[in-house]
């Protein structure tokens, strides 16, 4: 029996309600597939925590996810096309990684772009 637990949450709300910020309260290290560009505005781990979030960028088109070495909290993938999403998913299925949370921000924007 596995010790791992999974929780899936789908958030819906008006623009600027804090959905993206809420995603930065999940367990770290965090992977964010960002189709909206919202990660550039998030600087803290959650709502006014005072804990700075350290980010790194990853392009799934160029290779597997970066190893979590303790120097970053969130890994951001800028999503502009379906291939990026698909390759990120493929890497997560076959490449070693330490992500504890994955955020798709936002599903609606990904549908519109891709």
């Amino acid at each position: 029996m596995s010790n791992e637990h999974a929780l899936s949450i789908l958030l819906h709300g008006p623009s600027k309600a804090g959905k993206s910020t809420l995603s930065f309260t999940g367990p770290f290290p965090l992977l964010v597939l960002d189709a909206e560009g919202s990660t550039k505005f998030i600087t803290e781990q959650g709502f006014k925590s005072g804990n700075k979030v350290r980010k790194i960028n990853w392009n799934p088109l160029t290779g597997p996810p970066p190893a979590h070495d303790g120097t970053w909290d969130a890994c951001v993938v800028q999503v502009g096309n379906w291939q990026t999403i698909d390759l990120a998913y493929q890497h997560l299925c076959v490449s070693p990684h330490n992500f504890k949370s994955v955020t798709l921000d936002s599903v609606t924007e990904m549908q519109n772009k891709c």
Side-chain angles (χ1 to χ4, degrees):
M1 186 172 198
S2 173
N3 290 341
E4 296 180 33
H5 302 281
L7 172 65
S8 298
I9 299 172
L10 177 64
L11 297 174
H12 175 69
S15 179
K16 306 295 181 210
K19 300 176 300 292
S20 299
T21 302
L22 180 62
S23 72
F24 275 76
T25 65
F28 292 96
L30 165 69
L31 173 63
V32 182
L33 299 176
D34 186 1
E36 294 183 331
S38 60
T39 56
K40 65 183 165 215
F41 301 108
I42 299 174
T43 59
E44 295 182 14
Q45 297 179 4
F47 295 98
K48 300 179 183 177
S49 69
N51 298 324
K52 297 296 178 193
V53 65
R54 301 166 298 165
K55 296 179 250 180
I56 189 172
N57 292 312
W58 169 41
N59 181 350
L61 304 174
T62 62
H68 185 250
D69 58 6
T71 62
W72 54 270
D73 306 303
C75 178
V76 179
V77 173
Q78 298 300 327
V79 173
N81 56 53
W82 181 252
Q83 183 183 16
T84 301
I85 298 167
D86 188 44
L87 281 173
Y89 176 73
Q90 288 179 42
H91 281 298
L92 290 176
C93 290
V94 300
S95 300
H97 65 82
N98 298 106
F99 298 120
K100 293 183 179 177
S101 303
V102 178
T103 296
L104 305 177
D105 193 6
S106 79
V107 173
T108 303
E109 190 64 26
M110 288 178 188
Q111 288 175 315
N112 290 336
K113 281 187 172 183
C114 304

